[in-house]
Amino acid sequence: MANLVEDWVAEQARLTKPDRIHWVHGTEEEIRGLVDVGIREEKIGIHHTFQPLNPAEFPNSYLHRSHPTDVARTEHLTFVCLPTKADAGPNNNWMDPGEARKTVLPLFDGCMRGRTLYVIPYMMGHPDSPYARPCVQITDSVYVVVSMYIMTRVGNKVLDIINSKGEFVKGLHSIGDLDPQKRFIMHFPQDDLVMSIGSGYGGNALLGKKCISLRIASYLGYQQGWLAEHMIVMGVEDPDGDITYILGSFPSACGKTNLAMLDPIMKGYKVWTLGDDIAWINPGPDGRLYAINPEAGFFGVAPGTSDKTNPNMMKTLRNNKSYPTLFTNTGLQTDSNSPWWEGLTENIPAPMLDWQGRSYVNGSGENVAHPNSRFTVSIYNCPTLSPETDNPKGVPISGILFGGRRSDTIPLVCESFDWEHGVFKASANGSETTAAATGKAGVVRRDPMAMLPFCGYHMGDYFAHWLRVGSQLSRPPKMFFVNWFQKNNEGTFIWPGFRDNSRVIKWMVDRIKGKVTARETAVGLMPYLNDLFMDGLSLSPETIDRLFRIDKGEWQNEIAETELFYAQFGNRLPVSLQNRLTELKEKIEKC
Ligand code: GTP
Ligand code: SPV
Ligand code: MN
C-alpha cells in the first residue's frame, strides 16, 4: 500500500522513458524554481513557456504562448472508454478500453526521452473535506506543473491521504510532439484514470479540471449519489444581511467567471465568490444540497475582461500574492511589457505583438489575443472570496441557475415550476458554440446542464440521476433559466449584461425568500415587471417586450430541436422528461 503512487509512477516512467523524475512538493521556492525553468526554456527557444511581464502592472505574472494548433479543448479527440458504446452514450466519443490503450500506449512509449517527468500529487477539494479526492498527475510540461499548482491544492500531504485511503485518481499526460493527428484525451472511468497526449492546453492538459473533476467525477457521482457539474458557486448577500448560496450552470465562455464575482448594482447587495467553473454537489442530512468547488484557481477567458466589465477579476490579476499568474495566448504591449486582449481598453495600444508573437498591424482585422486566450490565477487572490470557500462541508444551495448564449427564443429569466420541470428545461438547454472548443463558433447546439462535453457516461442516465437526486431532497433548490445574450436585428446585445445581471439575481433571491410572486407562462414562471429593479436602466418598451417575449414560432422550433435531440437517447430518456416536452408542445400550440 505504501508504494501505491511510487509503483504507478515507476510503471509510467518505464513507458515514457524520461531523462529524470521530479516529485513536486508544492513549496513556494520550488514553484519559483519551476517558473525559472520555464523562463530558461523561453530564452533558449525550446518553448514559449514563460516570459516575465511588467511587475508594476501585473506582479509575478508570465506570458505563455501555446502551439498555434493547440489553443482550445478538442472535443472530437476526447474519448470516454467504458465497456460498451451504449454506456458512454450518444454524447461521447467512445472507444473500447483495450482498443484505447492500444491506440495511445505506442504514442506514450518513449515520449519523455530527453525530458523531465514531473509527478504532481494534488487534491481536488480542500484536503479536510470528506468530498475531496486525492489525485496524481504525471506531465512533461513545466507550464502544466505551474498551472496545476495554481488551479489545485498541490503538495506532499496528498501522498499521506492517498496512503490512508488506498486509492487515487490517476492522470498521465505528455505534450508528445503536439501533433493534432496524434492527440488523444482518453478517459477510463472504471479505472479512475485519464491518459492525455499531444496537447498542452487547458482542459486537454490540466487533468484535474474537465477530465477528472467533471468526466471521471460525474461517473463516480452517478454511482455514489452526488453530482459533478459545470457550475459556479456563489453567495449573494442582501440588505437583510442574509447570504443565499446559488449555483450557476453556463456552457464554456458564456459568463460563469463574470457572474461568480459580480459587483451588484443595488446598494446593500454583495456577491461572495466560491468557484467559477466546477461544483461538486452532495445531498446533506437536512434534505438540502451542499456544494464545494474542487478547484483552487481560475482559468478564465481573457477577451472581454476589463475594469468596467469585471473589476474584481482585474483586482484578482493585479493582486500580489505568493502564487504566480499566467497569461496564455494574449497579445503583448511591448513598451509596457504587459498583456493585452480585446476589450481590455477601448483602443489597441501600439506597439503590439499578437498572440503568436507577430508584430500587430492596426486595422488588419486579425485578433490580437486568441479568442480563447486565458489567465490562470489563484482563487485566493480574489477580493470577493467567500470566507466559506474552504469549509469542508460546502455551502447549502437554495437556487440553481442555468444559462446559455441565445440570440433569440430564451427570455431574460424564467423559473421552473418544480424540480422535474427544471431538469426538463436544463436537459433541453441550447447555446451558441464559442471559441472554448475547436470547431465552428456561433452554432446553436443542445448542451444539457452545460455538460454535453463533460458528462462521463450516457446522458439519458445522467438525466435520470438528476431526477433521482432531486426526489431525495426535502428542500430542493429553486431552478432559474437566464439568457443575457439576446440580440436585436442589428446583431447587438439588447441586455446590458455584466453588473446589470445583478438585477435578475435580486429577483431570484426574492423568489427564494418568498418575497415576490411570479406569473405563470407556457415555459415557466416569469417576473412581474414591478418586481424587477430597473432604476438607472433606460430600455425601450420594445426591448423590454423582446426580453420577456415567448414567441410561438421560435418555441415551436425549439421544441422540434429538442425532439430531435431527445430521439438519440431512446429508452434511456426518462419518461417524465418526454411527458414534460409533450406538455410544453400542447401549451405552445395554444399560445
Ligand atoms: P469557461 O471558463 O469557458 O467555462 O467560461 P465562463 O462561462 O466562465 O465564461 P466567462 O465569464 O469567462 O465569459 C466569457 C465571455 O463572455 C467573456 O468574453 C465575457 O466578457 C463575456 N460575458 C460574460 N458575461 C457577459 C454578459 O452578461 N453579457 C455579455 N454580452 N457578455 C458577457
Ligand atoms: C471550458 O472550456 O469550459 C473551460 C476551459 O473552462 S478548459 O479548461 O479548457 O476546459
Ligand atoms: Mn468551463
Side-chain angles (χ1 to χ4, degrees):
M1 192 69 85
N3 291 325
L4 209 57
V5 178
E6 280 92 337
D7 289 352
W8 182 69
V9 169
E11 195 186 326
Q12 309 319 308
R14 278 195 297 276
L15 172 66
T16 57
K17 305 176 179 66
D19 278 15
R20 56 203 97 71
I21 297 181
H22 177 138
W23 287 74
V24 178
H25 303 293
T27 63
E28 264 181 56
E29 302 85 87
E30 181 189 31
I31 297 304
R32 259 199 302 277
L34 289 172
V35 168
D36 287 340
V37 170
I39 294 171
R40 275 200 302 279
E41 284 183 359
E42 174 96 23
K43 280 198 183 131
I44 57 178
I46 307 179
H47 296 296
H48 297 287
T49 310
F50 294 132
Q51 177 176 337
L53 294 165
N54 183 347
E57 297 249 5
F58 294 98
N60 200 9
S61 295
Y62 305 88
L63 176 70
H64 171 82
R65 292 194 192 111
S66 69
H67 191 274
T69 62
D70 186 31
V71 292
R73 281 183 298 102
T74 41
E75 293 178 2
H76 61 294
L77 304 173
T78 301
F79 291 81
V80 168
C81 309
L82 282 166
T84 71
K85 185 169 168 51
D87 292 331
N91 46 300
N92 282 303
N93 301 311
W94 173 79
M95 215 185 277
D96 168 76
E99 193 63 35
R101 279 176 211 268
K102 261 195 252 161
T103 306
V104 292
L105 286 176
L107 301 177
F108 277 107
D109 190 0
C111 68
M112 297 192 190
R113 261 191 205 104
R115 299 184 188 165
T116 302
L117 179 157
Y118 295 96
V119 183
I120 316 165
Y122 66 98
M123 286 306 281
M124 294 314 296
H126 193 278
D128 295 342
S129 172
Y131 307 125
R133 305 226 159 224
C135 313
V136 178
Q137 176 161 347
I138 287 176
T139 184
D140 52 8
S141 157
V142 82
Y143 167 74
V144 168
V145 179
V146 176
S147 299
M148 289 294 286
Y149 178 71
I150 303 166
M151 294 302 295
T152 74
R153 296 168 174 92
V154 170
N156 282 342
K157 203 176 155 187
V158 180
L159 295 173
D160 300 334
I161 297 174
I162 292 174
N163 282 331
S164 66
K165 275 189 102 140
E167 59 177 25
F168 65 102
V169 188
K170 306 167 192 77
L172 173 62
H173 171 254
S174 170
I175 54 174
D177 55 11
L178 293 173
D179 177 355
Q181 300 302 320
K182 292 187 246 156
R183 183 176 299 162
F184 290 98
I185 299 99
M186 299 287 199
H187 300 73
F188 302 88
Q190 294 183 315
D191 301 322
D192 282 350
L193 170 68
V194 177
M195 294 172 94
S196 164
I197 188 156
S199 167
Y201 199 84
N204 290 342
L206 313 179
L207 302 185
K209 202 171 177 52
K210 301 297 158 83
C211 298
I212 288 172
S213 291
L214 289 178
R215 296 192 194 97
I216 300 286
S218 62
Y219 181 81
L220 279 175
Y222 177 59
Q223 294 174 322
Q224 300 169 348
W226 55 283
L227 295 162
E229 298 295 330
H230 194 203
M231 290 181 180
I232 67 167
V233 187
M234 70 196 247
V236 183
E237 184 171 336
D238 61 34
D240 301 338
D242 295 333
I243 301 180
T244 304
Y245 292 97
I246 60 184
L247 300 170
S249 152
F250 296 74
S252 303
C254 291
K256 287 186 298 303
T257 304
N258 280 268
L259 189 63
M261 53 190 67
L262 183 81
D263 184 15
I265 298 266
M266 299 84 50
K267 269 212 200 83
Y269 283 81
K270 179 173 168 61
V271 162
W272 295 99
T273 309
L274 292 100
D276 83 324
D277 200 48
I278 298 177
W280 283 358
I281 310 157
N282 282 267
D286 56 357
R288 306 183 76 181
L289 287 177
Y290 283 77
I292 64 161
N293 168 17
E295 301 192 280
F298 305 125
F299 181 59
V301 177
T305 308
S306 71
D307 286 314
K308 223 160 107 190
T309 57
N310 193 350
N312 286 323
M313 184 51 90
M314 294 308 299
K315 281 181 200 152
T316 304
L317 295 171
R318 292 187 180 117
N319 207 348
N320 191 6
K321 287 273 174 66
S322 52
Y323 294 91
T325 297
L326 310 180
F327 292 88
T328 300
N329 293 342
T330 62
L332 181 70
Q333 210 280 303
T334 46
D335 278 352
S336 62
N337 191 34
S338 341
W340 194 88
W341 51 80
E342 279 74 6
L344 178 63
T345 52
E346 214 165 294
N347 299 314
I348 307 178
M352 180 73 75
L353 298 182
D354 75 3
W355 63 277
Q356 297 185 68
R358 301 174 303 199
S359 179
Y360 181 78
V361 186
N362 235 324
S364 70
E366 302 268 319
N367 292 319
V368 173
H370 187 277
N372 192 40
S373 56
R374 293 192 176 239
F375 41 74
T376 316
V377 64
S378 168
I379 197 169
Y380 297 102
N381 285 7
C382 178
T384 56
L385 189 72
S386 163
E388 297 295 315
T389 302
D390 288 338
N391 186 332
K393 286 198 233 141
V395 289
I397 300 302
S398 305
I400 308 183
L401 73 119
F402 296 89
R405 224 173 240 277
R406 292 299 297 273
S407 308
D408 50 42
T409 316
I410 308 299
L412 182 65
V413 60
C414 174
E415 181 187 325
S416 75
F417 299 126
D418 51 53
W419 180 273
E420 186 185 273
H421 184 239
V423 173
F424 159 65
K425 283 179 75 70
S427 76
N429 213 10
S431 190
E432 290 151 20
T433 50
T434 64
T438 55
K440 194 166 161 26
V443 192
V444 178
R445 70 170 182 185
R446 296 299 116 190
D447 190 350
M449 288 82 171
M451 282 288 279
L452 182 72
F454 308 123
C455 177
Y457 60 103
H458 194 293
M459 203 107 214
D461 297 346
Y462 170 76
F463 297 154
H465 183 50
W466 262 85
L467 293 170
R468 203 158 43 232
V469 168
S471 69
Q472 290 161 5
L473 303 173
S474 55
R475 297 165 71 191
K478 278 186 174 292
M479 287 156 138
F480 301 93
F481 295 81
V482 299
N483 179 17
W484 318 138
F485 298 98
Q486 284 192 76
K487 286 180 179 168
N488 60 18
N489 295 339
E490 284 78 56
T492 44
F493 293 118
I494 60 172
W495 174 251
F498 300 104
R499 287 191 76 191
D500 288 282
N501 296 337
S502 60
R503 301 171 188 274
V504 177
I505 302 291
K506 175 186 182 298
W507 182 76
M508 292 177 197
V509 171
D510 287 346
R511 284 292 296 156
I512 288 165
K513 295 178 85 174
K515 288 189 169 175
V516 296
T517 55
R519 77 191 157 87
E520 193 170 328
T521 74
V523 304
L525 303 169
M526 292 183 50
Y528 290 105
L529 280 184
N530 283 343
D531 291 330
L532 277 177
F533 181 81
M534 294 297 238
D535 292 11
L537 258 193
S538 51
L539 298 176
S540 68
E542 298 81 60
T543 298
I544 292 177
D545 176 64
R546 176 71 256 195
L547 285 169
F548 294 98
R549 183 171 78 197
I550 310 297
D551 182 277
K552 185 170 178 175
E554 288 176 356
W555 275 89
Q556 282 171 327
N557 189 43
E558 189 74 3
I559 290 163
E561 293 288 323
T562 306
E563 282 173 335
L564 267 180
F565 183 64
Y566 270 10
Q568 312 169 76
F569 302 123
N571 60 9
R572 278 164 111 145
L573 181 80
V575 176
S576 54
L577 300 190
Q578 186 65 57
N579 292 342
R580 291 286 187 159
L581 179 60
T582 309
E583 265 170 52
L584 173 66
K585 198 171 176 176
E586 287 163 7
K587 283 184 186 167
I588 289 291
E589 290 311 321
K590 283 192 212 126
C591 264

